[in-house]
Amino acid sequence: MKPTPTRPMTPEPCKRPGPGPTLVDAALADQTLLALILGRPGTDADPEPLAAALLARFGSLGAVAGAAPGELERDFGAGASVGTDLALLREFALRLARDEACRRPVITSWTALVAYVRTALAHEPREQFRTLFLDRRNILLRDELIAHGTVDHAPAYPREVVRRALELSASAMILVHNHPSGDPTPSRADIDMTRQIVEAARVFSLQVHDHLVVGREGTASFRALGLI
């Protein structure tokens, strides 16, 4: 009697899990996204309540990412890894925005430039004065911190700004500083300082394209306001 041939077993198709939340899901709630970031292996804190507490305190993802590590540990019991993760996340976002702003002359990619300076400064707790140095094609050469001040003042000296532009062989500049209060409206001191820098730069044929004031509530342009 001949043995009955056996049919080879057909493997069952692999069942893939249903779609879950991903970092590219635009509908993902801020709290859920933050909890995913905070919940990576190696962190001690419970990510869901921590994410809720951080957003309740700081108000937005950008403000959470800009929070001081010491404040996170002192007020929320978050370990050092949480502060490190958020700092890395902020730096990653900043570099993405800077790469986009550097692709083309800043005059023709103004939206990307504003996105970059907002990523860098909108949630800074202290005032910073920065200068974007541009080459002859208006391509970004360097973004440099000129002064790091208090919650409402960052002193900038015109001769230092101009001297650095000459050292870099820059042809033009965009001045940038933030208002930690959130209101980007230029102050009288901002206007006076800008005029001094513009006058000092003109002596060396350096152009100041604009001065941007960044706050949580928006971005003010001196040129758009007729102040340059």
Side-chain angles (χ1 to χ4, degrees):
M1 182 176 177
K2 295 182 179 179
T4 303
T6 58
R7 295 181 179 178
M9 294 183 63
T10 303
E12 294 185 2
C14 177
K15 294 182 179 179
R16 297 182 179 179
T22 68
L23 295 180
V24 295
D25 186 353
L28 200 62
D30 285 355
Q31 182 174 321
T32 303
L33 176 59
L34 183 57
L36 287 171
I37 294 168
L38 298 175
R40 71 170 182 81
T43 54
D44 299 327
D46 188 346
E48 286 288 349
L50 178 58
L54 290 172
L55 286 171
R57 163 72 73 83
F58 296 105
S60 69
L61 286 175
V64 171
E71 185 177 6
L72 296 174
E73 188 168 356
R74 182 185 66 247
D75 296 349
F76 298 94
S81 61
V82 170
T84 299
D85 285 350
L86 291 176
L88 289 172
L89 177 66
R90 184 175 182 277
E91 184 62 24
F92 185 77
L94 182 59
R95 294 191 186 194
L96 285 178
R98 184 170 60 212
D99 286 348
E100 185 64 26
C102 289
R103 286 184 181 181
R104 301 179 299 278
V106 296
I107 303 304
T108 60
S109 55
W110 198 251
T111 300
L113 178 73
V114 172
Y116 167 57
V117 297
R118 288 196 58 76
T119 301
L121 293 174
H123 299 286
E124 280 292 323
R126 294 185 179 277
E127 194 164 306
Q128 291 185 20
F129 186 94
R130 309 186 72 92
T131 302
L132 309 183
F133 297 102
L134 312 176
D135 67 11
R136 293 184 181 277
R137 299 174 298 156
N138 286 318
I139 299 292
L140 183 62
L141 285 172
R142 295 284 292 270
D143 167 13
E144 292 197 355
L145 174 65
I146 303 299
H148 202 166
T150 63
V151 293
D152 61 359
H153 180 61
Y157 301 101
R159 69 167 178 257
E160 294 300 320
V161 174
V162 172
R163 179 185 61 79
R164 187 58 179 148
L166 295 174
E167 289 176 349
L168 294 171
S169 298
S171 296
M173 298 177 284
I174 295 173
L175 312 176
V176 186
H177 83 280
N178 64 309
H179 282 178
S181 66
D183 180 2
T185 303
S187 67
R188 183 72 251 174
D190 295 337
I191 295 170
D192 292 341
M193 175 189 63
T194 303
R195 287 177 178 168
Q196 292 172 17
I197 294 175
V198 170
E199 290 172 4
R202 188 178 293 123
V203 173
F204 297 93
S205 300
L206 296 169
Q207 187 173 0
V208 178
H209 286 318
D210 207 341
H211 184 167
L212 300 176
V213 185
V214 179
R216 291 185 302 276
E217 298 171 10
T219 303
S221 161
F222 271 52
R223 185 163 296 279
L225 294 170
L227 297 174
I228 287 185

